[in-house]
């Protein structure tokens, strides 16, 4: 198996939105003095200066030349607080953390083992808070599971499978990275939170406070404007309902649960079959009132729901 890491800013593809950079340390003994975090494989230490993509395509930050690795396999995402998160991007053979396949973003801890297509990396971040301190802080900020009213948004790249097959190696990594970065930026600029990365999609939410309605309208308008840009064609659907939420907000380890979460994903699938780009549920439409123009697409039977659900185009 061949592993390639981009080693300088000049070699780094400019199109990657997260501005990842992996550098090989000339003197591994100085690693602890110079770097906050790094990946280790055999005798190689690869410094983590930011986000990076991992996959078979040549424009990934780390290229793993193996048929077991997807062209765009996973991303290591650096948050502003210095925490690194491992995100699988819907890969065929999965991303494994400490021998368990991950299905949602997971925060990396010092000495964690990452396995992708048979290649194992050890994550190092010795200057991060000790596990005991992390647990203590978690207990201070851990919130009980509570039911809250919130806005839910699911965005998804259209026709992702045929699109990925039609693109040359490397272009897919740039495409998905750029799109994920753009959607994340729009959502967070309008006070939303990205809860999950879904490979070629995103689940986001807004708590229903006094400014949430205007934030949703602004986010919808920004996403619609983004649909006419140079990025991949995508769709999104907005829903409003009561969900169960719990976790540690300070580390963004919150989990959304309940039938309303299932509903927004079901509506996104319906939107896909209709070929529409922007959808909104009836509860969300009623909540927004006349502030947004909608047209009825129809009422649909959804798996797991007794009553038909109305869906509107924005």
């Amino acid at each position: 198996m061949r592993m390639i890491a981009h080693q300088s800013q000049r070699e780094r593809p400019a199109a990657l939105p997260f501005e990842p950079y992996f550098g090989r340390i000339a003197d591994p003994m100085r690693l602890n003095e110079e770097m906050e975090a790094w990946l280790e494989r055999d005798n190689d230490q690869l410094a983590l200066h930011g986000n990076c993509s991992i996959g078979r395509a040549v424009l990934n930050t780390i290229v793993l030349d193996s048929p077991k690795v997807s062209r765009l396999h996973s991303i290591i995402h650096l948050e502003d607080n210095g925490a690194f998160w491992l995100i699988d991007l819907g890969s065929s053979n999965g991303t494994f953390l400490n021998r368990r396949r991950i299905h949602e973003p997971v925060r990396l801890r010092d000495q964690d083992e990452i396995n992708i297509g048979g290649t194992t990396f050890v994550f190092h971040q010795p200057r991060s808070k000790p596990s005991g301190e992390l647990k203590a802080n978690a207990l201070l900020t851990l919130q009980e599971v509570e039911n809250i009213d919130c806005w839910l948004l699911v965005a998804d790249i259209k026709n992702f499978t045929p699109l990925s097959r039609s693109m040359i190696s490397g272009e897919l990594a740039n495409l998905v990275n750029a799109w994920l970065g753009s959607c994340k930026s729009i959502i967070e600029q309008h006070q939303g939170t990205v809860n999950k990365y879904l490979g070629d999609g995103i689940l986001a939410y807004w708590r229903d406070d006094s400014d949430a309605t205007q934030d949703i309208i602004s986010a919808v308008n920004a996403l619609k404007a983004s649909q006419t840009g140079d990025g991949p064609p995508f769709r999104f659907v907005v829903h409003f309902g009561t969900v169960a939420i719990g976790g540690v907000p300070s580390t963004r380890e919150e989990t959304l649960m309940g039938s309303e979460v299932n509903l927004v994903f079901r509506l996104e699938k319906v939107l896909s079959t209709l070929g529409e780009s922007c959808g909104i549920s009836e509860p969300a439409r009623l909540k927004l009132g006349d502030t947004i123009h909608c047209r009825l697409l129809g009422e649909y039977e959804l798996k797991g729901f007794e009553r038909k659900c109305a869906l509107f185009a924005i």
Side-chain angles (χ1 to χ4, degrees):
M1 181 177 296
R2 182 166 59 94
M3 181 181 72
I4 304 170
H6 295 289
Q7 298 181 13
S8 71
Q9 287 185 320
R10 290 182 179 179
E11 296 172 350
R12 184 181 63 195
L16 291 176
F18 292 142
E19 297 297 334
Y21 170 71
F22 264 75
R24 186 182 301 278
I25 303 304
D27 182 2
M29 298 299 294
R30 297 181 59 193
L31 188 60
N32 289 342
E33 300 176 5
E34 298 181 2
M35 302 302 165
E36 295 291 335
W38 67 93
L39 293 179
E40 181 177 0
R41 179 192 175 217
D42 299 329
N43 294 322
D44 289 331
Q45 291 84 24
L46 304 174
L48 283 162
H49 289 268
N51 302 282
C52 76
S53 61
I54 304 172
R56 196 175 71 249
V58 296
L59 291 183
N60 283 288
T61 315
I62 291 183
V63 178
L64 298 179
D65 187 11
S66 168
K68 295 180 180 180
V69 178
S70 299
R71 286 190 285 177
L72 181 61
H73 199 104
S74 58
I75 288 177
I76 294 177
H77 173 61
L78 173 62
E79 296 218 319
D80 293 339
N81 61 5
F84 287 87
W85 291 72
L86 180 64
I87 305 167
D88 182 80
L89 295 176
S91 63
S92 299
N93 293 308
T95 299
F96 293 81
L97 180 65
N98 299 323
R99 300 184 180 182
R100 293 186 177 183
R101 185 168 183 169
I102 66 171
H103 298 283
E104 58 186 39
V106 179
R107 181 174 177 176
L108 291 171
R109 311 289 185 182
D110 187 41
Q111 303 295 325
D112 275 346
E113 290 190 0
I114 302 167
N115 188 282
I116 297 173
T119 297
T120 298
F121 301 92
V122 178
F123 173 79
H124 294 276
Q125 194 178 23
R127 296 179 184 177
S128 62
K129 294 179 181 179
S131 59
E133 187 178 348
L134 285 169
K135 290 179 181 178
N137 288 340
L139 289 174
L140 292 175
T141 57
L142 180 65
Q143 61 183 35
E144 299 289 338
V145 174
E146 57 177 331
N147 293 323
I148 64 166
D149 291 335
C150 71
W151 297 87
L152 300 171
L153 182 146
V154 171
D156 186 56
I157 296 177
K158 292 182 179 180
N159 302 315
F160 182 74
T161 299
L163 180 66
S164 64
R165 291 172 180 169
S166 67
M167 300 182 69
I168 64 173
S169 179
E171 288 185 352
L172 184 63
N174 278 344
L175 185 79
V176 176
N177 265 334
W179 180 76
L180 287 173
S182 174
C183 287
K184 178 177 183 291
S185 177
I186 290 172
I187 289 165
E188 293 182 348
Q189 284 175 8
H190 297 96
Q191 313 311 313
T193 300
V194 175
N195 181 251
K196 292 182 187 294
Y197 294 92
L198 307 166
D200 58 339
I202 282 177
L203 169 64
Y205 73 97
W206 287 255
R207 289 174 177 260
D208 186 37
D209 56 29
S210 58
D211 298 321
T213 299
Q214 185 56 52
D215 289 333
I216 284 292
I217 294 171
S218 299
V220 165
N221 290 334
L223 287 169
K224 283 178 65 68
S226 179
Q227 288 178 323
T228 63
D230 297 330
F234 69 94
R235 71 181 68 85
F236 67 91
V237 63
V238 177
H239 177 52
F240 179 83
T242 302
V243 304
I245 186 170
V248 186
S250 62
T251 59
R252 295 181 61 180
E253 293 178 344
E254 288 185 307
T255 298
L256 303 179
M257 299 164 284
S259 61
E260 303 299 330
V261 179
N262 295 332
L263 177 60
V264 71
F265 280 103
R266 297 279 191 269
L267 291 176
E268 191 276 330
K269 295 299 182 184
V270 173
L271 198 67
S272 173
T273 63
L274 298 174
E276 296 285 345
S277 296
C278 316
I280 187 170
S281 69
E282 185 169 20
R285 183 190 68 85
L286 293 173
K287 183 77 172 176
L288 291 175
D290 297 331
T291 59
I292 196 165
H293 177 70
C294 305
R295 58 182 171 85
L296 179 64
L297 294 172
E299 294 185 344
Y300 303 91
E301 294 183 354
L302 304 178
K303 183 179 180 181
F305 296 88
E306 295 182 359
R307 298 180 180 179
K308 289 185 176 181
C309 299
L311 181 61
F312 298 79
I314 302 175

